[in-house]
Amino acid sequence: AYKKGEQWNGLDVTEKMIEKSKKKRFEIKDNKIRAYYGHTIPMKIVKQEQVPPDILYHGTAKKFLASIKEKGLLPQKRQYVHLSLDVTMAYNVAIRHDKDVCILQIDTKQAMLDGIKFYYGNEDVWLADKIPSKYIKINE
């Protein structure tokens, strides 16, 4: 166990943990730690709009497909819809919640042309406010 302020290879232990984290959930800004996604705070963390890859993926339980076809992808209890760079990552996210999953392919190129905004989450995750169903294809 490390104590607050303790150094590890020249970095504060907290800084080192954030730097080495695979999921990149936190950042240090203005000498304060903050969450990238804001899962548990009542205010929305505002992200800068960026251009994503042409295709992104979202893993979900098959039981939600009817709702997604009707309403699109919504953030539910999160602040943003989370999208993955590849099928494997989308599958790994979905399988944590349900064994009967499917992968959705998101046409981000067309969605952006139509005014849907995307935000960079981290090197593995892209975010959106919502994704209408017309940009979603079930990845067979």
Side-chain angles (χ1 to χ4, degrees), residues 121-138:
N122 64 40
E123 51 273 336
D124 296 324
V125 176
W126 282 84
L127 307 168
D129 297 307
K130 66 178 184 175
I131 306 290
S133 58
K134 72 181 196 175
Y135 307 109
I136 301 169
K137 175 181 147 190
I138 298 173

PDB file of all heavy atoms in Angstrom, residues 121-138:
ATOM      1  N   GLY A 121     -13.802   9.505 -26.055  1.00  0.00           N
ATOM      2  CA  GLY A 121     -13.786   9.115 -24.647  1.00  0.00           C
ATOM      3  C   GLY A 121     -12.370   8.826 -24.191  1.00  0.00           C
ATOM      4  O   GLY A 121     -11.839   9.441 -23.285  1.00  0.00           O
ATOM      5  N   ASN A 122     -11.760   7.872 -24.859  1.00  0.00           N
ATOM      6  CA  ASN A 122     -10.342   7.542 -24.673  1.00  0.00           C
ATOM      7  C   ASN A 122      -9.905   6.723 -25.880  1.00  0.00           C
ATOM      8  O   ASN A 122     -10.676   6.589 -26.831  1.00  0.00           O
ATOM      9  CB  ASN A 122     -10.082   6.823 -23.334  1.00  0.00           C
ATOM     10  CG  ASN A 122     -10.753   5.468 -23.238  1.00  0.00           C
ATOM     11  OD1 ASN A 122     -10.797   4.700 -24.197  1.00  0.00           O
ATOM     12  ND2 ASN A 122     -11.290   5.155 -22.070  1.00  0.00           N
ATOM     13  N   GLU A 123      -8.722   6.153 -25.852  1.00  0.00           N
ATOM     14  CA  GLU A 123      -8.241   5.449 -27.051  1.00  0.00           C
ATOM     15  C   GLU A 123      -9.074   4.213 -27.410  1.00  0.00           C
ATOM     16  O   GLU A 123      -8.959   3.687 -28.495  1.00  0.00           O
ATOM     17  CB  GLU A 123      -6.762   5.090 -26.961  1.00  0.00           C
ATOM     18  CG  GLU A 123      -6.311   4.373 -25.731  1.00  0.00           C
ATOM     19  CD  GLU A 123      -5.927   5.309 -24.590  1.00  0.00           C
ATOM     20  OE1 GLU A 123      -5.581   6.469 -24.798  1.00  0.00           O
ATOM     21  OE2 GLU A 123      -5.987   4.834 -23.454  1.00  0.00           O
ATOM     22  N   ASP A 124      -9.969   3.781 -26.540  1.00  0.00           N
ATOM     23  CA  ASP A 124     -10.812   2.613 -26.804  1.00  0.00           C
ATOM     24  C   ASP A 124     -12.293   2.927 -26.921  1.00  0.00           C
ATOM     25  O   ASP A 124     -13.061   2.109 -27.401  1.00  0.00           O
ATOM     26  CB  ASP A 124     -10.643   1.584 -25.674  1.00  0.00           C
ATOM     27  CG  ASP A 124      -9.240   1.026 -25.602  1.00  0.00           C
ATOM     28  OD1 ASP A 124      -8.619   0.847 -26.658  1.00  0.00           O
ATOM     29  OD2 ASP A 124      -8.762   0.774 -24.481  1.00  0.00           O
ATOM     30  N   VAL A 125     -12.715   4.084 -26.453  1.00  0.00           N
ATOM     31  CA  VAL A 125     -14.146   4.381 -26.338  1.00  0.00           C
ATOM     32  C   VAL A 125     -14.490   5.714 -27.006  1.00  0.00           C
ATOM     33  O   VAL A 125     -13.799   6.707 -26.807  1.00  0.00           O
ATOM     34  CB  VAL A 125     -14.571   4.445 -24.850  1.00  0.00           C
ATOM     35  CG1 VAL A 125     -16.029   4.837 -24.701  1.00  0.00           C
ATOM     36  CG2 VAL A 125     -14.302   3.120 -24.157  1.00  0.00           C
ATOM     37  N   TRP A 126     -15.572   5.701 -27.780  1.00  0.00           N
ATOM     38  CA  TRP A 126     -16.171   6.918 -28.325  1.00  0.00           C
ATOM     39  C   TRP A 126     -17.536   7.085 -27.682  1.00  0.00           C
ATOM     40  O   TRP A 126     -18.146   6.108 -27.250  1.00  0.00           O
ATOM     41  CB  TRP A 126     -16.284   6.819 -29.844  1.00  0.00           C
ATOM     42  CG  TRP A 126     -14.967   7.084 -30.495  1.00  0.00           C
ATOM     43  CD1 TRP A 126     -13.953   6.187 -30.698  1.00  0.00           C
ATOM     44  CD2 TRP A 126     -14.502   8.329 -30.993  1.00  0.00           C
ATOM     45  NE1 TRP A 126     -12.893   6.815 -31.284  1.00  0.00           N
ATOM     46  CE2 TRP A 126     -13.193   8.122 -31.483  1.00  0.00           C
ATOM     47  CE3 TRP A 126     -15.066   9.602 -31.082  1.00  0.00           C
ATOM     48  CZ2 TRP A 126     -12.444   9.148 -32.057  1.00  0.00           C
ATOM     49  CZ3 TRP A 126     -14.313  10.618 -31.647  1.00  0.00           C
ATOM     50  CH2 TRP A 126     -13.017  10.392 -32.131  1.00  0.00           C
ATOM     51  N   LEU A 127     -18.012   8.310 -27.632  1.00  0.00           N
ATOM     52  CA  LEU A 127     -19.264   8.630 -26.966  1.00  0.00           C
ATOM     53  C   LEU A 127     -20.202   9.367 -27.919  1.00  0.00           C
ATOM     54  O   LEU A 127     -19.754  10.040 -28.846  1.00  0.00           O
ATOM     55  CB  LEU A 127     -18.988   9.519 -25.752  1.00  0.00           C
ATOM     56  CG  LEU A 127     -17.951   9.006 -24.756  1.00  0.00           C
ATOM     57  CD1 LEU A 127     -17.567  10.099 -23.770  1.00  0.00           C
ATOM     58  CD2 LEU A 127     -18.468   7.787 -24.032  1.00  0.00           C
ATOM     59  N   ALA A 128     -21.499   9.232 -27.666  1.00  0.00           N
ATOM     60  CA  ALA A 128     -22.507   9.987 -28.405  1.00  0.00           C
ATOM     61  C   ALA A 128     -23.673  10.244 -27.465  1.00  0.00           C
ATOM     62  O   ALA A 128     -23.887   9.508 -26.500  1.00  0.00           O
ATOM     63  CB  ALA A 128     -22.972   9.199 -29.626  1.00  0.00           C
ATOM     64  N   ASP A 129     -24.448  11.288 -27.756  1.00  0.00           N
ATOM     65  CA  ASP A 129     -25.622  11.591 -26.941  1.00  0.00           C
ATOM     66  C   ASP A 129     -26.696  10.534 -27.158  1.00  0.00           C
ATOM     67  O   ASP A 129     -27.327  10.081 -26.217  1.00  0.00           O
ATOM     68  CB  ASP A 129     -26.170  12.970 -27.281  1.00  0.00           C
ATOM     69  CG  ASP A 129     -25.163  14.068 -26.950  1.00  0.00           C
ATOM     70  OD1 ASP A 129     -24.682  14.098 -25.800  1.00  0.00           O
ATOM     71  OD2 ASP A 129     -24.855  14.875 -27.840  1.00  0.00           O
ATOM     72  N   LYS A 130     -26.910  10.146 -28.411  1.00  0.00           N
ATOM     73  CA  LYS A 130     -27.813   9.053 -28.772  1.00  0.00           C
ATOM     74  C   LYS A 130     -27.512   8.671 -30.220  1.00  0.00           C
ATOM     75  O   LYS A 130     -26.919   9.443 -30.963  1.00  0.00           O
ATOM     76  CB  LYS A 130     -29.281   9.430 -28.601  1.00  0.00           C
ATOM     77  CG  LYS A 130     -29.766  10.501 -29.544  1.00  0.00           C
ATOM     78  CD  LYS A 130     -31.231  10.776 -29.323  1.00  0.00           C
ATOM     79  CE  LYS A 130     -31.717  11.797 -30.362  1.00  0.00           C
ATOM     80  NZ  LYS A 130     -33.142  12.029 -30.274  1.00  0.00           N
ATOM     81  N   ILE A 131     -27.927   7.469 -30.597  1.00  0.00           N
ATOM     82  CA  ILE A 131     -27.737   6.991 -31.963  1.00  0.00           C
ATOM     83  C   ILE A 131     -29.093   6.528 -32.491  1.00  0.00           C
ATOM     84  O   ILE A 131     -29.616   5.501 -32.040  1.00  0.00           O
ATOM     85  CB  ILE A 131     -26.736   5.806 -32.026  1.00  0.00           C
ATOM     86  CG1 ILE A 131     -25.409   6.148 -31.366  1.00  0.00           C
ATOM     87  CG2 ILE A 131     -26.548   5.358 -33.480  1.00  0.00           C
ATOM     88  CD1 ILE A 131     -24.560   7.148 -32.091  1.00  0.00           C
ATOM     89  N   PRO A 132     -29.684   7.272 -33.410  1.00  0.00           N
ATOM     90  CA  PRO A 132     -30.949   6.816 -33.993  1.00  0.00           C
ATOM     91  C   PRO A 132     -30.775   5.469 -34.704  1.00  0.00           C
ATOM     92  O   PRO A 132     -29.708   5.156 -35.238  1.00  0.00           O
ATOM     93  CB  PRO A 132     -31.294   7.929 -34.994  1.00  0.00           C
ATOM     94  CG  PRO A 132     -30.595   9.146 -34.437  1.00  0.00           C
ATOM     95  CD  PRO A 132     -29.313   8.605 -33.862  1.00  0.00           C
ATOM     96  N   SER A 133     -31.836   4.695 -34.722  1.00  0.00           N
ATOM     97  CA  SER A 133     -31.765   3.323 -35.239  1.00  0.00           C
ATOM     98  C   SER A 133     -31.378   3.240 -36.710  1.00  0.00           C
ATOM     99  O   SER A 133     -30.835   2.231 -37.144  1.00  0.00           O
ATOM    100  CB  SER A 133     -33.082   2.593 -34.984  1.00  0.00           C
ATOM    101  OG  SER A 133     -34.137   3.284 -35.595  1.00  0.00           O
ATOM    102  N   LYS A 134     -31.622   4.274 -37.491  1.00  0.00           N
ATOM    103  CA  LYS A 134     -31.285   4.203 -38.916  1.00  0.00           C
ATOM    104  C   LYS A 134     -29.786   4.095 -39.180  1.00  0.00           C
ATOM    105  O   LYS A 134     -29.378   3.744 -40.274  1.00  0.00           O
ATOM    106  CB  LYS A 134     -31.907   5.366 -39.693  1.00  0.00           C
ATOM    107  CG  LYS A 134     -31.273   6.716 -39.458  1.00  0.00           C
ATOM    108  CD  LYS A 134     -32.042   7.738 -40.279  1.00  0.00           C
ATOM    109  CE  LYS A 134     -31.308   9.034 -40.444  1.00  0.00           C
ATOM    110  NZ  LYS A 134     -32.014   9.951 -41.344  1.00  0.00           N
ATOM    111  N   TYR A 135     -28.947   4.353 -38.179  1.00  0.00           N
ATOM    112  CA  TYR A 135     -27.499   4.242 -38.327  1.00  0.00           C
ATOM    113  C   TYR A 135     -26.960   2.934 -37.729  1.00  0.00           C
ATOM    114  O   TYR A 135     -25.761   2.740 -37.657  1.00  0.00           O
ATOM    115  CB  TYR A 135     -26.794   5.426 -37.668  1.00  0.00           C
ATOM    116  CG  TYR A 135     -27.321   6.745 -38.160  1.00  0.00           C
ATOM    117  CD1 TYR A 135     -28.091   7.558 -37.327  1.00  0.00           C
ATOM    118  CD2 TYR A 135     -27.093   7.161 -39.466  1.00  0.00           C
ATOM    119  CE1 TYR A 135     -28.613   8.756 -37.785  1.00  0.00           C
ATOM    120  CE2 TYR A 135     -27.601   8.362 -39.931  1.00  0.00           C
ATOM    121  CZ  TYR A 135     -28.359   9.151 -39.084  1.00  0.00           C
ATOM    122  OH  TYR A 135     -28.874  10.340 -39.547  1.00  0.00           O
ATOM    123  N   ILE A 136     -27.852   2.072 -37.286  1.00  0.00           N
ATOM    124  CA  ILE A 136     -27.462   0.855 -36.581  1.00  0.00           C
ATOM    125  C   ILE A 136     -27.772  -0.373 -37.435  1.00  0.00           C
ATOM    126  O   ILE A 136     -28.867  -0.517 -37.950  1.00  0.00           O
ATOM    127  CB  ILE A 136     -28.222   0.750 -35.234  1.00  0.00           C
ATOM    128  CG1 ILE A 136     -27.916   1.973 -34.366  1.00  0.00           C
ATOM    129  CG2 ILE A 136     -27.856  -0.547 -34.519  1.00  0.00           C
ATOM    130  CD1 ILE A 136     -28.809   2.085 -33.141  1.00  0.00           C
ATOM    131  N   LYS A 137     -26.771  -1.244 -37.536  1.00  0.00           N
ATOM    132  CA  LYS A 137     -26.938  -2.511 -38.244  1.00  0.00           C
ATOM    133  C   LYS A 137     -26.489  -3.626 -37.312  1.00  0.00           C
ATOM    134  O   LYS A 137     -25.474  -3.490 -36.619  1.00  0.00           O
ATOM    135  CB  LYS A 137     -26.073  -2.487 -39.510  1.00  0.00           C
ATOM    136  CG  LYS A 137     -26.045  -3.759 -40.294  1.00  0.00           C
ATOM    137  CD  LYS A 137     -25.126  -3.586 -41.497  1.00  0.00           C
ATOM    138  CE  LYS A 137     -24.455  -4.881 -41.805  1.00  0.00           C
ATOM    139  NZ  LYS A 137     -23.394  -4.761 -42.790  1.00  0.00           N
ATOM    140  N   ILE A 138     -27.236  -4.714 -37.261  1.00  0.00           N
ATOM    141  CA  ILE A 138     -26.816  -5.854 -36.455  1.00  0.00           C
ATOM    142  C   ILE A 138     -25.664  -6.534 -37.170  1.00  0.00           C
ATOM    143  O   ILE A 138     -25.782  -6.897 -38.333  1.00  0.00           O
ATOM    144  CB  ILE A 138     -27.973  -6.826 -36.199  1.00  0.00           C
ATOM    145  CG1 ILE A 138     -29.085  -6.124 -35.416  1.00  0.00           C
ATOM    146  CG2 ILE A 138     -27.481  -8.073 -35.447  1.00  0.00           C
ATOM    147  CD1 ILE A 138     -30.328  -6.924 -35.239  1.00  0.00           C
TER     148      ILE A 138
END
